[in-house]
Amino acid sequence: MSTDRRRFGLALASLAAVSQTACAKKYEPLRIWAMGLEGEALGALAGNFEAQNPAVPVRVQALPWGAAHEKLLTAFAADNLPDVIALGNTWVSEFAALGALEPLNSRLSRSSITSDRWFDGARKSVTLDGQVLGVPWYVDTRLLFYRTDLLQKAGFDEPANTWAGWDAQLAALSGACRGGKYGLLMPFAEYEPLVAFCLQADAPILIDSDTRGGFRQPGIRDSFAYAASLYQRGYAARLTHSEVTDVYSSFARDDFAFIITGPWNLAEFARRLPANLQDRWATAPLPGPHGPGESSAGGVSLCIPRASKRKDSAFRFIEYLCDPQRQADFYRTTSDLPADRGAWLRTSLMHDRRSLTFFDQLNRTRPPPQVPEWERIANEMVAALERVVRGITTLDAALKGLDEFAWTLLAKRRAMLELKGVA
């Protein structure tokens, strides 16, 4: 073979390799991580997106919730986060503090996503210092599920919307009035009810730019005192979560009349309660100190890591998923409540009294403090509440301890903000 022919052959091979590399880059899969059932349900929607966007193949990885947080942190440290993360709203601040999330303000302003239709609590959950760091995908909150027949038998038409009114109902549904049973199931291990009561206070849980605990403020103290009194007055059983082996059987046996829980139980109550109880349970907003109370804003949002090299395609996928019709379709698959209020109109949610209560409550939600350390603080709050109820410590000592715990835990945040001249 002549030298010229050999050079020509090598040039052709080089061009072919470059061409293959270019194609491989062009069609490199968009990586999506989502947790639990939602991650598993994304497959069909991703397939439909691929059909409409053949140059953007999608690879969805479903992560178990229990392992997701550690996997996300490990992936961040290894610079291996995917292109889109379905991130729990209470985790957004943590990954924002790491500088891991791409602000979406400019993309949202040019997109078909109508952020005005997001529930306000969800919007606040993904907005830090004016930067929108995620698109709310589905939402979550806590409210009352209750036995209508037990309430009516006690002489009440519907749950009260104030603490004082609810106290009267719980008194009539607890202790000697009902054979030693309890009016309320509120296991100690679940911090969400206590946090909701504190969010109803006229004072923030954390103060001074979220660098210190505000637990000894009168409003927060009143919320703790009220939560503790529910156990101390015999309205709620002093149980840990592990001691409640089957909530649905207990509810069916009249062991309690109220439970504070979330939207997944709409489907579970309909599936697990016996047929003769299906018309004897309902939902109601949380009562508050002086009227209908606020609850905590939870849920999951779709975020783009800063390190993604396919941000435009990633946002196109988010825009596709958050179309109102697809949110409605996703609800039918998973029972997750849409974050876009317009999607509710495309489902049966607005025509069912039980789910309509969630719409009402979701319009009265607040996000918990937006700091990476929040879940550790929330778990310590409910541990302190249990110590008070069991007589291990006093309320004032517990709240002082919570302020000290928060002071230590938020030291790094405080130092960073002091350097910036904020705190």
Side-chain angles (χ1 to χ4, degrees), residues 269-352:
F269 273 49
R271 183 170 69 89
R272 298 197 186 198
L273 292 182
N276 67 326
L277 282 183
Q278 287 302 327
D279 62 349
R280 288 191 263 166
W281 67 275
T283 57
L286 282 184
H290 309 294
E294 291 182 299
S295 191
S296 57
V300 167
S301 297
L302 299 168
C303 305
I304 300 176
R306 280 186 186 271
S308 171
K309 295 179 173 58
R310 294 175 290 281
K311 294 186 180 71
D312 290 341
S313 295
F315 189 78
R316 196 188 321 164
F317 183 70
I318 291 174
E319 197 171 15
Y320 175 85
L321 286 184
C322 292
D323 173 84
Q325 185 57 55
R326 289 186 194 94
Q327 283 205 11
D329 293 341
F330 194 69
Y331 157 72
R332 294 186 189 98
T333 302
T334 63
S335 297
D336 291 321
L337 301 180
D340 185 324
R341 287 178 289 194
W344 286 63
L345 301 173
R346 300 167 185 251
T347 70
S348 61
L349 286 166
M350 300 298 283
H351 305 289
D352 180 88

Side-chain angles (χ1 to χ4, degrees), residues 74-236:
T74 301
F76 170 76
D79 196 21
N80 190 37
L81 285 172
D83 300 296
V84 177
I85 312 171
L87 201 60
N89 286 344
T90 57
W91 295 354
V92 170
S93 59
E94 178 176 6
F95 285 86
L98 293 171
L101 303 180
E102 176 76 5
L104 303 178
N105 302 58
S106 60
R107 283 186 165 84
L108 284 167
S109 68
R110 304 189 303 269
S111 79
S112 63
I113 295 172
T114 307
S115 58
D116 289 347
R117 292 202 301 255
W118 297 347
F119 288 101
D120 194 48
R123 180 188 295 105
K124 290 177 179 176
S125 294
V126 297
T127 306
L128 284 85
D129 299 325
Q131 293 186 327
V132 181
L133 299 174
V135 177
W137 186 25
Y138 62 88
V139 286
D140 179 22
T141 192
R142 300 293 191 274
L143 47 66
L144 297 178
F145 282 56
Y146 70 99
R147 285 279 299 271
T148 56
D149 56 332
L150 297 181
L151 195 66
Q152 290 167 2
K153 187 176 180 181
F156 303 97
D157 293 330
E158 59 186 18
N161 61 17
T162 64
W163 287 356
W166 196 36
D167 283 349
Q169 294 177 345
L170 289 171
L173 289 162
S174 304
C177 295
R178 213 164 58 85
K181 295 184 177 181
Y182 294 91
L184 173 66
L185 177 67
M186 194 169 74
F188 283 121
E190 297 178 4
Y191 62 70
E192 289 86 359
L194 174 61
V195 169
F197 291 142
C198 289
L199 290 172
Q200 295 175 358
D202 56 2
I205 297 173
L206 302 180
I207 59 176
D208 297 342
S209 301
D210 291 339
T211 62
R212 315 165 198 270
F215 294 101
R216 284 177 285 182
Q217 298 174 99
I220 301 298
R221 188 188 188 285
D222 289 346
S223 295
F224 262 85
Y226 180 69
S229 77
L230 295 175
Y231 301 96
Q232 292 164 338
R233 291 180 288 172
Y235 299 163

Side-chain angles (χ1 to χ4, degrees), residues 32-90:
I32 316 295
W33 286 2
M35 287 50 140
L37 173 65
E38 291 73 26
E40 297 170 9
L42 262 185
L45 287 174
N48 293 336
F49 175 82
E50 286 179 322
Q52 297 179 25
N53 300 269
V56 189
V58 176
R59 188 174 72 206
V60 177
Q61 183 175 354
L63 308 179
W65 273 107
H69 187 261
E70 183 178 352
K71 184 172 178 65
L72 287 167
L73 289 176
T74 301
F76 170 76
D79 196 21
N80 190 37
L81 285 172
D83 300 296
V84 177
I85 312 171
L87 201 60
N89 286 344
T90 57

Side-chain angles (χ1 to χ4, degrees), residues 407-420:
W407 174 267
T408 301
L409 200 60
L410 296 170
K412 182 177 180 181
R413 174 179 175 81
R414 198 162 48 251
M416 291 174 62
L417 291 181
E418 285 170 354
L419 283 174
K420 295 178 182 179

